PDB file of all heavy atoms in Angstrom:
ATOM      1  N   LEU L 287      36.028-196.337 -48.022  1.00  0.00           N
ATOM      2  CA  LEU L 287      35.644-195.654 -49.263  1.00  0.00           C
ATOM      3  C   LEU L 287      34.707-194.489 -48.963  1.00  0.00           C
ATOM      4  O   LEU L 287      33.842-194.564 -48.091  1.00  0.00           O
ATOM      5  CB  LEU L 287      34.971-196.633 -50.229  1.00  0.00           C
ATOM      6  CG  LEU L 287      35.858-197.700 -50.862  1.00  0.00           C
ATOM      7  CD1 LEU L 287      35.096-198.449 -51.940  1.00  0.00           C
ATOM      8  CD2 LEU L 287      37.133-197.092 -51.443  1.00  0.00           C
ATOM      9  N   ARG L 288      34.896-193.404 -49.720  1.00  0.00           N
ATOM     10  CA  ARG L 288      34.069-192.209 -49.562  1.00  0.00           C
ATOM     11  C   ARG L 288      33.463-191.846 -50.919  1.00  0.00           C
ATOM     12  O   ARG L 288      34.076-192.055 -51.968  1.00  0.00           O
ATOM     13  CB  ARG L 288      34.914-191.024 -49.065  1.00  0.00           C
ATOM     14  CG  ARG L 288      35.582-191.258 -47.722  1.00  0.00           C
ATOM     15  CD  ARG L 288      34.569-191.258 -46.582  1.00  0.00           C
ATOM     16  NE  ARG L 288      35.224-191.389 -45.296  1.00  0.00           N
ATOM     17  CZ  ARG L 288      35.457-192.552 -44.689  1.00  0.00           C
ATOM     18  NH1 ARG L 288      35.087-193.692 -45.298  1.00  0.00           N
ATOM     19  NH2 ARG L 288      36.041-192.598 -43.523  1.00  0.00           N
ATOM     20  N   LYS L 289      32.272-191.272 -50.904  1.00  0.00           N
ATOM     21  CA  LYS L 289      31.671-190.783 -52.136  1.00  0.00           C
ATOM     22  C   LYS L 289      32.550-189.675 -52.691  1.00  0.00           C
ATOM     23  O   LYS L 289      32.948-188.756 -51.974  1.00  0.00           O
ATOM     24  CB  LYS L 289      30.267-190.253 -51.862  1.00  0.00           C
ATOM     25  CG  LYS L 289      29.532-189.851 -53.134  1.00  0.00           C
ATOM     26  CD  LYS L 289      28.091-189.454 -52.834  1.00  0.00           C
ATOM     27  CE  LYS L 289      27.373-189.096 -54.135  1.00  0.00           C
ATOM     28  NZ  LYS L 289      25.952-188.738 -53.894  1.00  0.00           N
ATOM     29  N   GLY L 290      32.869-189.774 -53.961  1.00  0.00           N
ATOM     30  CA  GLY L 290      33.764-188.814 -54.585  1.00  0.00           C
ATOM     31  C   GLY L 290      35.186-189.320 -54.723  1.00  0.00           C
ATOM     32  O   GLY L 290      36.004-188.673 -55.403  1.00  0.00           O
ATOM     33  N   ASP L 291      35.514-190.455 -54.084  1.00  0.00           N
ATOM     34  CA  ASP L 291      36.821-191.063 -54.318  1.00  0.00           C
ATOM     35  C   ASP L 291      36.972-191.366 -55.806  1.00  0.00           C
ATOM     36  O   ASP L 291      35.989-191.690 -56.483  1.00  0.00           O
ATOM     37  CB  ASP L 291      36.970-192.364 -53.517  1.00  0.00           C
ATOM     38  CG  ASP L 291      37.214-192.105 -52.037  1.00  0.00           C
ATOM     39  OD1 ASP L 291      37.336-190.929 -51.645  1.00  0.00           O
ATOM     40  OD2 ASP L 291      37.269-193.086 -51.269  1.00  0.00           O
ATOM     41  N   ARG L 292      38.192-191.288 -56.303  1.00  0.00           N
ATOM     42  CA  ARG L 292      38.412-191.418 -57.736  1.00  0.00           C
ATOM     43  C   ARG L 292      39.531-192.405 -58.018  1.00  0.00           C
ATOM     44  O   ARG L 292      40.469-192.535 -57.224  1.00  0.00           O
ATOM     45  CB  ARG L 292      38.783-190.047 -58.326  1.00  0.00           C
ATOM     46  CG  ARG L 292      39.001-190.039 -59.832  1.00  0.00           C
ATOM     47  CD  ARG L 292      39.502-188.679 -60.311  1.00  0.00           C
ATOM     48  NE  ARG L 292      39.782-188.717 -61.731  1.00  0.00           N
ATOM     49  CZ  ARG L 292      38.923-188.357 -62.672  1.00  0.00           C
ATOM     50  NH1 ARG L 292      37.741-187.887 -62.344  1.00  0.00           N
ATOM     51  NH2 ARG L 292      39.250-188.435 -63.955  1.00  0.00           N
ATOM     52  N   PHE L 293      39.421-193.093 -59.146  1.00  0.00           N
ATOM     53  CA  PHE L 293      40.492-194.002 -59.547  1.00  0.00           C
ATOM     54  C   PHE L 293      40.784-193.835 -61.038  1.00  0.00           C
ATOM     55  O   PHE L 293      39.917-193.455 -61.822  1.00  0.00           O
ATOM     56  CB  PHE L 293      40.127-195.467 -59.252  1.00  0.00           C
ATOM     57  CG  PHE L 293      38.932-195.980 -60.017  1.00  0.00           C
ATOM     58  CD1 PHE L 293      39.074-196.485 -61.307  1.00  0.00           C
ATOM     59  CD2 PHE L 293      37.666-195.941 -59.460  1.00  0.00           C
ATOM     60  CE1 PHE L 293      37.976-196.945 -62.021  1.00  0.00           C
ATOM     61  CE2 PHE L 293      36.565-196.393 -60.160  1.00  0.00           C
ATOM     62  CZ  PHE L 293      36.718-196.896 -61.439  1.00  0.00           C
ATOM     63  N   SER L 294      42.027-194.110 -61.390  1.00  0.00           N
ATOM     64  CA  SER L 294      42.461-194.182 -62.786  1.00  0.00           C
ATOM     65  C   SER L 294      43.282-195.452 -62.920  1.00  0.00           C
ATOM     66  O   SER L 294      44.046-195.799 -62.012  1.00  0.00           O
ATOM     67  CB  SER L 294      43.314-192.968 -63.174  1.00  0.00           C
ATOM     68  OG  SER L 294      42.606-191.758 -62.976  1.00  0.00           O
ATOM     69  N   VAL L 295      43.139-196.134 -64.027  1.00  0.00           N
ATOM     70  CA  VAL L 295      43.827-197.412 -64.189  1.00  0.00           C
ATOM     71  C   VAL L 295      44.263-197.597 -65.635  1.00  0.00           C
ATOM     72  O   VAL L 295      43.559-197.198 -66.562  1.00  0.00           O
ATOM     73  CB  VAL L 295      42.934-198.590 -63.724  1.00  0.00           C
ATOM     74  CG1 VAL L 295      41.640-198.645 -64.511  1.00  0.00           C
ATOM     75  CG2 VAL L 295      43.681-199.917 -63.834  1.00  0.00           C
ATOM     76  N   ILE L 296      45.437-198.155 -65.813  1.00  0.00           N
ATOM     77  CA  ILE L 296      45.968-198.534 -67.122  1.00  0.00           C
ATOM     78  C   ILE L 296      46.205-200.033 -67.077  1.00  0.00           C
ATOM     79  O   ILE L 296      46.922-200.523 -66.198  1.00  0.00           O
ATOM     80  CB  ILE L 296      47.271-197.782 -67.433  1.00  0.00           C
ATOM     81  CG1 ILE L 296      47.004-196.265 -67.429  1.00  0.00           C
ATOM     82  CG2 ILE L 296      47.851-198.213 -68.772  1.00  0.00           C
ATOM     83  CD1 ILE L 296      48.252-195.424 -67.385  1.00  0.00           C
ATOM     84  N   TYR L 297      45.597-200.757 -67.996  1.00  0.00           N
ATOM     85  CA  TYR L 297      45.665-202.214 -67.925  1.00  0.00           C
ATOM     86  C   TYR L 297      45.791-202.814 -69.320  1.00  0.00           C
ATOM     87  O   TYR L 297      45.522-202.157 -70.324  1.00  0.00           O
ATOM     88  CB  TYR L 297      44.428-202.783 -67.224  1.00  0.00           C
ATOM     89  CG  TYR L 297      43.126-202.549 -67.945  1.00  0.00           C
ATOM     90  CD1 TYR L 297      42.535-203.549 -68.711  1.00  0.00           C
ATOM     91  CD2 TYR L 297      42.461-201.327 -67.853  1.00  0.00           C
ATOM     92  CE1 TYR L 297      41.342-203.337 -69.371  1.00  0.00           C
ATOM     93  CE2 TYR L 297      41.262-201.098 -68.508  1.00  0.00           C
ATOM     94  CZ  TYR L 297      40.708-202.111 -69.265  1.00  0.00           C
ATOM     95  OH  TYR L 297      39.514-201.899 -69.930  1.00  0.00           O
ATOM     96  N   GLU L 298      46.212-204.071 -69.353  1.00  0.00           N
ATOM     97  CA  GLU L 298      46.362-204.801 -70.600  1.00  0.00           C
ATOM     98  C   GLU L 298      45.042-205.445 -70.998  1.00  0.00           C
ATOM     99  O   GLU L 298      44.283-205.910 -70.145  1.00  0.00           O
ATOM    100  CB  GLU L 298      47.395-205.920 -70.448  1.00  0.00           C
ATOM    101  CG  GLU L 298      48.832-205.472 -70.471  1.00  0.00           C
ATOM    102  CD  GLU L 298      49.778-206.649 -70.377  1.00  0.00           C
ATOM    103  OE1 GLU L 298      49.396-207.679 -69.795  1.00  0.00           O
ATOM    104  OE2 GLU L 298      50.904-206.546 -70.894  1.00  0.00           O
ATOM    105  N   THR L 299      44.782-205.476 -72.288  1.00  0.00           N
ATOM    106  CA  THR L 299      43.724-206.326 -72.819  1.00  0.00           C
ATOM    107  C   THR L 299      44.356-207.258 -73.842  1.00  0.00           C
ATOM    108  O   THR L 299      45.245-206.853 -74.600  1.00  0.00           O
ATOM    109  CB  THR L 299      42.603-205.514 -73.505  1.00  0.00           C
ATOM    110  OG1 THR L 299      43.168-204.738 -74.565  1.00  0.00           O
ATOM    111  CG2 THR L 299      41.896-204.617 -72.527  1.00  0.00           C
ATOM    112  N   LEU L 300      43.917-208.490 -73.850  1.00  0.00           N
ATOM    113  CA  LEU L 300      44.400-209.468 -74.805  1.00  0.00           C
ATOM    114  C   LEU L 300      43.306-209.650 -75.841  1.00  0.00           C
ATOM    115  O   LEU L 300      42.174-210.025 -75.503  1.00  0.00           O
ATOM    116  CB  LEU L 300      44.732-210.781 -74.092  1.00  0.00           C
ATOM    117  CG  LEU L 300      45.773-210.625 -72.976  1.00  0.00           C
ATOM    118  CD1 LEU L 300      46.010-211.953 -72.264  1.00  0.00           C
ATOM    119  CD2 LEU L 300      47.079-210.088 -73.523  1.00  0.00           C
ATOM    120  N   GLU L 301      43.626-209.357 -77.091  1.00  0.00           N
ATOM    121  CA  GLU L 301      42.618-209.261 -78.145  1.00  0.00           C
ATOM    122  C   GLU L 301      42.832-210.306 -79.229  1.00  0.00           C
ATOM    123  O   GLU L 301      43.963-210.691 -79.533  1.00  0.00           O
ATOM    124  CB  GLU L 301      42.653-207.858 -78.766  1.00  0.00           C
ATOM    125  CG  GLU L 301      42.398-206.749 -77.756  1.00  0.00           C
ATOM    126  CD  GLU L 301      42.483-205.370 -78.371  1.00  0.00           C
ATOM    127  OE1 GLU L 301      42.897-205.274 -79.543  1.00  0.00           O
ATOM    128  OE2 GLU L 301      42.136-204.384 -77.686  1.00  0.00           O
ATOM    129  N   GLY L 302      41.713-210.725 -79.816  1.00  0.00           N
ATOM    130  CA  GLY L 302      41.723-211.599 -80.968  1.00  0.00           C
ATOM    131  C   GLY L 302      40.925-210.966 -82.084  1.00  0.00           C
ATOM    132  O   GLY L 302      39.758-210.599 -81.880  1.00  0.00           O
ATOM    133  N   ASP L 303      41.529-210.757 -83.247  1.00  0.00           N
ATOM    134  CA  ASP L 303      40.880-210.075 -84.371  1.00  0.00           C
ATOM    135  C   ASP L 303      40.393-208.689 -83.972  1.00  0.00           C
ATOM    136  O   ASP L 303      39.343-208.222 -84.424  1.00  0.00           O
ATOM    137  CB  ASP L 303      39.705-210.904 -84.906  1.00  0.00           C
ATOM    138  CG  ASP L 303      40.153-212.230 -85.498  1.00  0.00           C
ATOM    139  OD1 ASP L 303      41.321-212.324 -85.916  1.00  0.00           O
ATOM    140  OD2 ASP L 303      39.327-213.170 -85.537  1.00  0.00           O
ATOM    141  N   GLY L 304      41.124-208.036 -83.077  1.00  0.00           N
ATOM    142  CA  GLY L 304      40.754-206.689 -82.645  1.00  0.00           C
ATOM    143  C   GLY L 304      39.685-206.638 -81.584  1.00  0.00           C
ATOM    144  O   GLY L 304      39.325-205.547 -81.120  1.00  0.00           O
ATOM    145  N   GLU L 305      39.179-207.789 -81.143  1.00  0.00           N
ATOM    146  CA  GLU L 305      38.134-207.844 -80.121  1.00  0.00           C
ATOM    147  C   GLU L 305      38.765-208.237 -78.783  1.00  0.00           C
ATOM    148  O   GLU L 305      39.502-209.217 -78.711  1.00  0.00           O
ATOM    149  CB  GLU L 305      37.057-208.865 -80.494  1.00  0.00           C
ATOM    150  CG  GLU L 305      36.288-208.537 -81.757  1.00  0.00           C
ATOM    151  CD  GLU L 305      35.327-207.387 -81.553  1.00  0.00           C
ATOM    152  OE1 GLU L 305      35.016-207.064 -80.393  1.00  0.00           O
ATOM    153  OE2 GLU L 305      34.885-206.809 -82.563  1.00  0.00           O
ATOM    154  N   PRO L 306      38.497-207.473 -77.684  1.00  0.00           N
ATOM    155  CA  PRO L 306      39.050-207.847 -76.378  1.00  0.00           C
ATOM    156  C   PRO L 306      38.416-209.145 -75.887  1.00  0.00           C
ATOM    157  O   PRO L 306      37.198-209.261 -75.778  1.00  0.00           O
ATOM    158  CB  PRO L 306      38.664-206.664 -75.479  1.00  0.00           C
ATOM    159  CG  PRO L 306      37.519-206.001 -76.165  1.00  0.00           C
ATOM    160  CD  PRO L 306      37.707-206.228 -77.636  1.00  0.00           C
ATOM    161  N   LEU L 307      39.257-210.136 -75.612  1.00  0.00           N
ATOM    162  CA  LEU L 307      38.771-211.441 -75.176  1.00  0.00           C
ATOM    163  C   LEU L 307      39.146-211.763 -73.734  1.00  0.00           C
ATOM    164  O   LEU L 307      38.477-212.561 -73.078  1.00  0.00           O
ATOM    165  CB  LEU L 307      39.326-212.546 -76.093  1.00  0.00           C
ATOM    166  CG  LEU L 307      38.980-212.440 -77.573  1.00  0.00           C
ATOM    167  CD1 LEU L 307      39.599-213.608 -78.341  1.00  0.00           C
ATOM    168  CD2 LEU L 307      37.475-212.417 -77.778  1.00  0.00           C
ATOM    169  N   ARG L 308      40.197-211.148 -73.254  1.00  0.00           N
ATOM    170  CA  ARG L 308      40.656-211.453 -71.901  1.00  0.00           C
ATOM    171  C   ARG L 308      41.365-210.218 -71.345  1.00  0.00           C
ATOM    172  O   ARG L 308      42.126-209.560 -72.053  1.00  0.00           O
ATOM    173  CB  ARG L 308      41.602-212.650 -71.923  1.00  0.00           C
ATOM    174  CG  ARG L 308      42.133-213.068 -70.568  1.00  0.00           C
ATOM    175  CD  ARG L 308      43.202-214.142 -70.726  1.00  0.00           C
ATOM    176  NE  ARG L 308      42.645-215.395 -71.171  1.00  0.00           N
ATOM    177  CZ  ARG L 308      42.170-216.343 -70.372  1.00  0.00           C
ATOM    178  NH1 ARG L 308      42.207-216.150 -69.071  1.00  0.00           N
ATOM    179  NH2 ARG L 308      41.690-217.468 -70.857  1.00  0.00           N
ATOM    180  N   ALA L 309      41.086-209.913 -70.082  1.00  0.00           N
ATOM    181  CA  ALA L 309      41.789-208.803 -69.436  1.00  0.00           C
ATOM    182  C   ALA L 309      43.118-209.308 -68.896  1.00  0.00           C
ATOM    183  O   ALA L 309      43.209-210.410 -68.359  1.00  0.00           O
ATOM    184  CB  ALA L 309      40.945-208.236 -68.295  1.00  0.00           C
ATOM    185  N   GLY L 310      44.148-208.490 -69.069  1.00  0.00           N
ATOM    186  CA  GLY L 310      45.460-208.855 -68.579  1.00  0.00           C
ATOM    187  C   GLY L 310      45.770-208.178 -67.256  1.00  0.00           C
ATOM    188  O   GLY L 310      44.880-207.876 -66.457  1.00  0.00           O
ATOM    189  N   ARG L 311      47.029-207.894 -67.067  1.00  0.00           N
ATOM    190  CA  ARG L 311      47.494-207.330 -65.801  1.00  0.00           C
ATOM    191  C   ARG L 311      47.256-205.821 -65.745  1.00  0.00           C
ATOM    192  O   ARG L 311      47.332-205.126 -66.751  1.00  0.00           O
ATOM    193  CB  ARG L 311      48.989-207.616 -65.654  1.00  0.00           C
ATOM    194  CG  ARG L 311      49.636-207.000 -64.422  1.00  0.00           C
ATOM    195  CD  ARG L 311      51.130-207.261 -64.365  1.00  0.00           C
ATOM    196  NE  ARG L 311      51.392-208.661 -64.070  1.00  0.00           N
ATOM    197  CZ  ARG L 311      52.078-209.475 -64.851  1.00  0.00           C
ATOM    198  NH1 ARG L 311      52.560-209.031 -66.010  1.00  0.00           N
ATOM    199  NH2 ARG L 311      52.296-210.730 -64.506  1.00  0.00           N
ATOM    200  N   VAL L 312      46.969-205.329 -64.551  1.00  0.00           N
ATOM    201  CA  VAL L 312      46.959-203.887 -64.314  1.00  0.00           C
ATOM    202  C   VAL L 312      48.406-203.416 -64.355  1.00  0.00           C
ATOM    203  O   VAL L 312      49.267-203.922 -63.634  1.00  0.00           O
ATOM    204  CB  VAL L 312      46.322-203.546 -62.960  1.00  0.00           C
ATOM    205  CG1 VAL L 312      46.554-202.081 -62.600  1.00  0.00           C
ATOM    206  CG2 VAL L 312      44.826-203.837 -62.988  1.00  0.00           C
ATOM    207  N   LEU L 313      48.693-202.445 -65.222  1.00  0.00           N
ATOM    208  CA  LEU L 313      50.060-201.945 -65.384  1.00  0.00           C
ATOM    209  C   LEU L 313      50.363-200.811 -64.416  1.00  0.00           C
ATOM    210  O   LEU L 313      51.484-200.706 -63.916  1.00  0.00           O
ATOM    211  CB  LEU L 313      50.273-201.484 -66.830  1.00  0.00           C
ATOM    212  CG  LEU L 313      50.038-202.564 -67.900  1.00  0.00           C
ATOM    213  CD1 LEU L 313      50.198-201.967 -69.292  1.00  0.00           C
ATOM    214  CD2 LEU L 313      50.989-203.741 -67.704  1.00  0.00           C
ATOM    215  N   SER L 314      49.385-199.971 -64.175  1.00  0.00           N
ATOM    216  CA  SER L 314      49.545-198.896 -63.199  1.00  0.00           C
ATOM    217  C   SER L 314      48.160-198.413 -62.790  1.00  0.00           C
ATOM    218  O   SER L 314      47.185-198.598 -63.524  1.00  0.00           O
ATOM    219  CB  SER L 314      50.381-197.739 -63.768  1.00  0.00           C
ATOM    220  OG  SER L 314      49.760-197.203 -64.927  1.00  0.00           O
ATOM    221  N   ALA L 315      48.090-197.800 -61.633  1.00  0.00           N
ATOM    222  CA  ALA L 315      46.792-197.337 -61.136  1.00  0.00           C
ATOM    223  C   ALA L 315      46.998-196.234 -60.110  1.00  0.00           C
ATOM    224  O   ALA L 315      48.062-196.127 -59.485  1.00  0.00           O
ATOM    225  CB  ALA L 315      46.012-198.491 -60.512  1.00  0.00           C
ATOM    226  N   GLU L 316      45.963-195.417 -59.976  1.00  0.00           N
ATOM    227  CA  GLU L 316      45.928-194.384 -58.938  1.00  0.00           C
ATOM    228  C   GLU L 316      44.558-194.423 -58.285  1.00  0.00           C
ATOM    229  O   GLU L 316      43.530-194.533 -58.967  1.00  0.00           O
ATOM    230  CB  GLU L 316      46.192-193.002 -59.528  1.00  0.00           C
ATOM    231  CG  GLU L 316      46.150-191.896 -58.475  1.00  0.00           C
ATOM    232  CD  GLU L 316      46.411-190.524 -59.059  1.00  0.00           C
ATOM    233  OE1 GLU L 316      45.709-190.161 -60.027  1.00  0.00           O
ATOM    234  OE2 GLU L 316      47.301-189.813 -58.555  1.00  0.00           O
ATOM    235  N   PHE L 317      44.537-194.340 -56.962  1.00  0.00           N
ATOM    236  CA  PHE L 317      43.273-194.297 -56.225  1.00  0.00           C
ATOM    237  C   PHE L 317      43.356-193.134 -55.241  1.00  0.00           C
ATOM    238  O   PHE L 317      44.288-193.064 -54.426  1.00  0.00           O
ATOM    239  CB  PHE L 317      43.030-195.604 -55.478  1.00  0.00           C
ATOM    240  CG  PHE L 317      41.582-195.863 -55.186  1.00  0.00           C
ATOM    241  CD1 PHE L 317      40.866-196.792 -55.917  1.00  0.00           C
ATOM    242  CD2 PHE L 317      40.913-195.153 -54.197  1.00  0.00           C
ATOM    243  CE1 PHE L 317      39.521-197.026 -55.668  1.00  0.00           C
ATOM    244  CE2 PHE L 317      39.574-195.370 -53.942  1.00  0.00           C
ATOM    245  CZ  PHE L 317      38.875-196.312 -54.680  1.00  0.00           C
ATOM    246  N   VAL L 318      42.417-192.205 -55.354  1.00  0.00           N
ATOM    247  CA  VAL L 318      42.357-191.061 -54.451  1.00  0.00           C
ATOM    248  C   VAL L 318      41.276-191.344 -53.426  1.00  0.00           C
ATOM    249  O   VAL L 318      40.089-191.363 -53.749  1.00  0.00           O
ATOM    250  CB  VAL L 318      42.063-189.755 -55.209  1.00  0.00           C
ATOM    251  CG1 VAL L 318      42.023-188.580 -54.238  1.00  0.00           C
ATOM    252  CG2 VAL L 318      43.113-189.520 -56.294  1.00  0.00           C
ATOM    253  N   ASN L 319      41.694-191.597 -52.182  1.00  0.00           N
ATOM    254  CA  ASN L 319      40.777-191.954 -51.098  1.00  0.00           C
ATOM    255  C   ASN L 319      40.775-190.835 -50.054  1.00  0.00           C
ATOM    256  O   ASN L 319      41.814-190.527 -49.472  1.00  0.00           O
ATOM    257  CB  ASN L 319      41.214-193.275 -50.469  1.00  0.00           C
ATOM    258  CG  ASN L 319      40.402-193.657 -49.245  1.00  0.00           C
ATOM    259  OD1 ASN L 319      40.948-193.930 -48.197  1.00  0.00           O
ATOM    260  ND2 ASN L 319      39.087-193.671 -49.380  1.00  0.00           N
ATOM    261  N   ALA L 320      39.597-190.227 -49.854  1.00  0.00           N
ATOM    262  CA  ALA L 320      39.454-189.125 -48.895  1.00  0.00           C
ATOM    263  C   ALA L 320      40.465-188.017 -49.171  1.00  0.00           C
ATOM    264  O   ALA L 320      41.026-187.415 -48.250  1.00  0.00           O
ATOM    265  CB  ALA L 320      39.598-189.645 -47.468  1.00  0.00           C
ATOM    266  N   GLY L 321      40.711-187.771 -50.474  1.00  0.00           N
ATOM    267  CA  GLY L 321      41.612-186.704 -50.871  1.00  0.00           C
ATOM    268  C   GLY L 321      43.075-187.086 -50.903  1.00  0.00           C
ATOM    269  O   GLY L 321      43.913-186.291 -51.361  1.00  0.00           O
ATOM    270  N   LYS L 322      43.430-188.289 -50.455  1.00  0.00           N
ATOM    271  CA  LYS L 322      44.827-188.719 -50.438  1.00  0.00           C
ATOM    272  C   LYS L 322      45.091-189.662 -51.600  1.00  0.00           C
ATOM    273  O   LYS L 322      44.429-190.686 -51.731  1.00  0.00           O
ATOM    274  CB  LYS L 322      45.151-189.421 -49.119  1.00  0.00           C
ATOM    275  CG  LYS L 322      46.610-189.837 -48.999  1.00  0.00           C
ATOM    276  CD  LYS L 322      46.904-190.474 -47.654  1.00  0.00           C
ATOM    277  CE  LYS L 322      48.380-190.867 -47.546  1.00  0.00           C
ATOM    278  NZ  LYS L 322      48.691-191.497 -46.236  1.00  0.00           N
ATOM    279  N   PRO L 323      46.065-189.334 -52.461  1.00  0.00           N
ATOM    280  CA  PRO L 323      46.333-190.187 -53.620  1.00  0.00           C
ATOM    281  C   PRO L 323      47.257-191.348 -53.274  1.00  0.00           C
ATOM    282  O   PRO L 323      48.220-191.198 -52.522  1.00  0.00           O
ATOM    283  CB  PRO L 323      46.995-189.235 -54.612  1.00  0.00           C
ATOM    284  CG  PRO L 323      47.682-188.232 -53.749  1.00  0.00           C
ATOM    285  CD  PRO L 323      46.852-188.084 -52.503  1.00  0.00           C
ATOM    286  N   PHE L 324      46.947-192.510 -53.846  1.00  0.00           N
ATOM    287  CA  PHE L 324      47.810-193.685 -53.763  1.00  0.00           C
ATOM    288  C   PHE L 324      48.081-194.144 -55.192  1.00  0.00           C
ATOM    289  O   PHE L 324      47.147-194.279 -55.985  1.00  0.00           O
ATOM    290  CB  PHE L 324      47.134-194.812 -52.979  1.00  0.00           C
ATOM    291  CG  PHE L 324      46.819-194.467 -51.540  1.00  0.00           C
ATOM    292  CD1 PHE L 324      45.597-193.881 -51.215  1.00  0.00           C
ATOM    293  CD2 PHE L 324      47.740-194.701 -50.539  1.00  0.00           C
ATOM    294  CE1 PHE L 324      45.298-193.552 -49.899  1.00  0.00           C
ATOM    295  CE2 PHE L 324      47.457-194.373 -49.216  1.00  0.00           C
ATOM    296  CZ  PHE L 324      46.237-193.802 -48.891  1.00  0.00           C
ATOM    297  N   GLN L 325      49.349-194.361 -55.500  1.00  0.00           N
ATOM    298  CA  GLN L 325      49.729-194.751 -56.855  1.00  0.00           C
ATOM    299  C   GLN L 325      50.512-196.046 -56.834  1.00  0.00           C
ATOM    300  O   GLN L 325      51.203-196.361 -55.852  1.00  0.00           O
ATOM    301  CB  GLN L 325      50.559-193.648 -57.513  1.00  0.00           C
ATOM    302  CG  GLN L 325      49.791-192.346 -57.732  1.00  0.00           C
ATOM    303  CD  GLN L 325      50.657-191.251 -58.301  1.00  0.00           C
ATOM    304  OE1 GLN L 325      51.835-191.127 -57.962  1.00  0.00           O
ATOM    305  NE2 GLN L 325      50.090-190.443 -59.184  1.00  0.00           N
TER     306      GLN L 325
END
């Protein structure tokens, strides 16, 4: 890991009455490590 590395993530939340109660599965993600993107 390097300072300045960046990540983006799209994930599921499982909600009750509109309140997030449990995190679900990561649906997609991107991690940029030392300038190289991984998706």
Side-chain angles (χ1 to χ4, degrees):
L287 290 188
R288 300 289 184 268
K289 186 175 182 178
D291 285 356
R292 182 186 176 94
F293 63 85
S294 302
V295 59
I296 300 166
Y297 64 100
E298 283 183 332
T299 58
L300 302 177
E301 301 178 352
D303 296 336
E305 296 287 343
L307 301 180
R308 181 188 290 272
R311 176 183 289 121
V312 169
L313 302 177
S314 60
E316 179 180 53
F317 204 104
V318 181
N319 174 233
K322 183 178 181 180
F324 298 89
Q325 295 176 323

